[in-house]
Amino acid sequence: MLILALPVAELAILIDIGEEIGALSTVALCILTAAVGLSIVKRQGIRVFQEMQAASRDGGALGASLVHGFFLAIAGVFLFIPGFMTDFVGALLLIPPVRLALGKLGMAQFVVRRGQARPHETIIIEGEYWEERTEEDAAKARLKEKDHPDNQ
């Protein structure tokens, strides 16, 4: 349903804006927002990548940088898709506190779901095993038993 609703909503918004400012201006504005947004994604992505390199070199935590990188990639996809709704979502994802808040929310949901799905679950794997000894291993074991002080 969402796959059908998004393009229909985007088209409705594009038509409404086109009626107000003209078709050519609407297309130009759509291309401009995508171009500006993608250049910001590129600049922020390079900065996040440099921070990740520095953190890994210094032994620091990479969690926040991974969250920023993940949501910057999503922002790039949203900004690349033509339309004002997707551009708005992509622009929101360009704001670092929004990305961190979404990352924390996502991790909290993951932890809650994981905790509810399997509380105190113990995994038991049944099976059989046997130890194969070569004649050489058996001879070494007999020698050790003979030389052990408790056997004398």
Side-chain angles (χ1 to χ4, degrees):
M1 204 57 181
L2 182 63
I3 293 173
L4 294 175
L6 183 65
V8 169
E10 286 284 14
L11 280 173
I13 292 170
L14 286 170
I15 290 169
D16 286 345
I17 293 174
E19 288 175 351
E20 292 294 320
I21 65 172
L24 190 58
S25 298
T26 303
V27 171
L29 184 61
C30 204
I31 291 171
L32 179 69
T33 57
V36 170
L38 289 173
S39 70
I40 293 171
V41 166
K42 179 182 175 186
R43 196 173 41 218
Q44 287 186 1
I46 290 170
R47 187 176 332 127
V48 166
F49 185 70
Q50 289 170 342
E51 289 172 4
M52 288 175 72
Q53 282 182 325
S56 66
R57 183 177 49 245
D58 301 336
L62 295 173
S65 295
L66 289 173
V67 168
H68 286 297
F70 174 75
F71 284 112
L72 278 173
I74 292 174
V77 170
F78 275 109
L79 288 165
F80 189 72
I81 297 171
F84 292 109
M85 279 187 356
T86 54
D87 286 349
F88 178 73
V89 173
L92 280 178
L93 292 175
L94 293 177
I95 303 168
V98 171
R99 293 193 301 254
L100 284 177
L102 287 173
K104 287 179 183 178
L105 180 66
M107 284 305 296
Q109 290 297 319
F110 176 76
V111 169
V112 167
R113 283 190 191 139
R114 182 133 176 134
Q116 289 175 351
R118 292 181 234 135
H120 310 294
E121 183 178 311
T122 302
I123 299 173
I124 299 173
I125 300 174
E126 292 187 32
E128 296 180 14
Y129 76 96
W130 60 91
E131 186 176 335
E132 291 186 14
R133 288 180 140 179
T134 63
E135 191 59 40
E136 185 179 321
D137 292 337
K140 286 180 184 178
R142 284 192 296 270
L143 282 175
K144 279 187 180 180
E145 287 177 12
K146 282 184 181 178
D147 293 339
H148 197 275
D150 291 341
N151 291 337
Q152 292 180 0

